[in-house]
Amino acid sequence: MECAGKRQGTRCTGPATRRCARCGAVAYCSVSHQIVHWPDHKEECGRLEQHMKHMDILNEFPFTFTQEATVQVCEKLETRCSVLKKRGVHQMGMWLYECCCGNSVISFDCSRLNNSWDLSNTFCPCTEPLSMISKHLTSWKEYYEWRSIPLHSPVSLLLYQPLTIYYATQVAGLGRWTSGISHKLHIHYLGPEKELLQLSVFSELHALFPNVHVHIELVGPAIPQHSKPSTVTLQLRSGFYHDRYKDIAQDSSPHLIVAPNAGIAAYSSWLPTIELIKDMNIPAVFSDYCKEACHLGASCITGVTGCPLNIPIQLNPFRQPLVVEGSVLLLPCYSNCFLYGMSKWSV
């Protein structure tokens, strides 16, 4: 647990053991750091207090490893590494970047792509579904049952990426693709990082969108040029979205924009991108690790565009069921934990 006031100009004096008495979501190394941080913390304190009251909901998953991957990681009884080791996938192929043992994504090398799950076929979606989706999937339990995968399989730790895209089409009101009415679905996926060495998981979109050709443009800084042809086609574009959009639009006009773990309020580079998305008038869904980050991102978007959100902040049922380590909050944080966005841009 980091001291919430460690970037306030003075060095921390010890471990962060002094929790905020009101919200309980942040901790400090000393009284002086807590006092110095109060002007920044006082606005969020009340919101974090409310978030803490609903903390148990964040940890609710149907898996046999849920307690281990959530509460026990938060309490430092387990680590992401130990959770992966017990499933036999630690530092294996696509799983390499799910703990701190993985190298920086900056070292991405196409020749190192590993398409294997490194699991028994009964543990992963390696075959065509036995049946078509009869209703919109709204939980991991429903997905696992549909794909006939046992609840002790860890594939959700990677499949949260395509399942979040699937769920984003629902919250953005694009249900006609999941029903197969439209035969092409173009998605612009902004700011990918570890996804670059897990591209094969996106092939599950073929099962989630039957009879639909799904084309995804992955756009972000320092991405090498690479494409992977299949029933789900992936095109990688280097650079910021607002700089590359004109080139991309010649080949792919999007039906939906998805920005995972966006950190809108943390990066000024988002501002021209937000303005561009508004001008395009394309549905956009953003995610982040915690509800407070979504609140700050939503405020930033409204401030830049003058448009209030019409996709409210909501818990993503397909968030990654493994706690993020090293958070500055005592709240559990998950990759793609909450979603929010715009289905239609209007002032």
Side-chain angles (χ1 to χ4, degrees):
M1 178 71 185
E2 290 186 353
C3 171
K6 76 171 190 174
R7 295 180 179 86
Q8 301 298 315
T10 58
R11 183 173 295 181
C12 287
T13 59
T17 57
R18 181 183 179 85
R19 295 175 64 167
C20 173
R22 179 185 178 188
C23 70
V26 297
Y28 301 90
C29 66
S30 62
V31 174
S32 61
H33 267 196
Q34 184 172 8
I35 293 172
V36 170
H37 187 242
W38 175 245
D40 294 331
H41 178 58
K42 63 181 178 180
E43 183 182 347
E44 67 182 9
C45 188
R47 294 193 301 269
L48 290 175
E49 181 183 15
Q50 294 304 310
H51 301 340
M52 290 290 284
K53 292 178 181 179
H54 305 288
M55 184 169 61
D56 290 345
I57 297 175
L58 301 180
N59 295 330
E60 288 183 0
F61 297 99
F63 308 111
T64 59
F65 54 84
T66 294
Q67 186 77 1
E68 181 184 337
T70 58
V71 175
Q72 291 181 13
V73 173
C74 284
E75 295 176 349
K76 300 188 184 305
L77 300 174
E78 297 283 355
T79 65
R80 289 176 72 96
C81 288
S82 66
V83 171
L84 296 172
K85 283 178 181 177
K86 291 179 180 181
R87 316 270 93 71
V89 293
H90 184 240
Q91 292 188 292
M92 302 284 287
M94 295 192 296
W95 304 89
L96 179 62
Y97 289 85
E98 293 307 323
C99 66
C100 60
C101 298
N103 296 322
S104 170
V105 176
I106 295 174
S107 63
F108 172 76
D109 180 357
C110 296
S111 65
R112 295 179 58 206
L113 288 174
N114 185 330
N115 299 329
S116 172
W117 284 99
D118 294 297
L119 292 168
S120 164
N121 285 353
T122 59
F123 278 28
C124 53
C126 299
T127 60
E128 291 293 322
L130 298 177
S131 62
M132 298 279 283
I133 298 176
S134 59
K135 63 177 182 178
H136 289 316
L137 301 175
T138 58
S139 69
W140 278 119
K141 189 173 187 295
E142 290 177 358
Y143 170 78
Y144 267 55
E145 288 176 350
W146 170 59
R147 289 300 255 142
S148 301
I149 299 172
L151 288 174
H152 53 278
S153 167
V155 291
S156 55
L157 303 184
L158 298 182
L159 284 172
Y160 75 96
Q161 296 167 6
L163 267 294
T164 293
I165 292 176
Y166 166 82
Y167 194 68
T169 64
Q170 296 184 37
V171 299
L174 305 181
R176 61 184 182 277
W177 278 280
T178 53
S179 62
I181 294 174
S182 298
H183 299 295
K184 289 184 179 180
L185 174 59
H186 287 189
I187 295 171
H188 289 183
Y189 189 94
L190 311 189
E193 294 182 349
K194 64 184 178 182
E195 295 98 322
L196 301 176
L197 286 174
Q198 299 169 339
L199 296 178
S200 290
V201 302
F202 289 93
S203 63
E204 183 63 4
L205 292 171
H206 175 54
L208 292 164
F209 297 96
N211 304 315
V212 176
H213 176 80
V214 181
H215 177 81
I216 302 178
E217 295 274 352
L218 295 97
V219 189
I223 292 180
Q225 297 295 336
H226 175 70
S227 62
K228 178 180 171 59
S230 67
T231 50
V232 176
T233 58
L234 306 175
Q235 177 69 47
L236 277 67
R237 309 265 189 171
S238 176
F240 291 113
Y241 188 63
H242 53 271
D243 292 329
R244 295 303 311 272
Y245 176 69
K246 288 184 179 179
D247 297 332
I248 299 169
Q250 295 176 4
D251 303 321
S252 168
S253 180
H255 300 107
L256 175 67
I257 294 169
V258 176
N261 300 320
I264 298 291
Y267 301 100
S268 60
S269 57
W270 272 111
L271 299 182
T273 294
I274 295 301
E275 292 173 342
L276 171 63
I277 295 173
K278 180 198 173 189
D279 291 341
M280 293 161 57
N281 198 24
I282 299 295
V285 176
F286 307 91
S287 78
D288 227 311
Y289 294 99
C290 66
K291 194 171 186 178
E292 180 62 16
C294 292
H295 173 83
L296 296 175
S299 297
C300 183
I301 292 171
T302 300
V304 170
T305 66
C307 300
L309 295 180
N310 52 35
I311 299 177
I313 298 171
Q314 57 195 275
L315 188 64
N316 177 13
F318 297 110
R319 62 198 179 278
Q320 186 185 41
L322 180 57
V323 161
V324 174
E325 293 174 310
S327 170
V328 296
L329 297 176
L330 288 166
L331 278 168
C333 295
Y334 295 94
S335 189
N336 288 350
C337 191
F338 286 88
L339 305 176
Y340 64 103
M342 299 291 291
S343 59
K344 183 178 181 182
W345 296 83
S346 60
V347 179

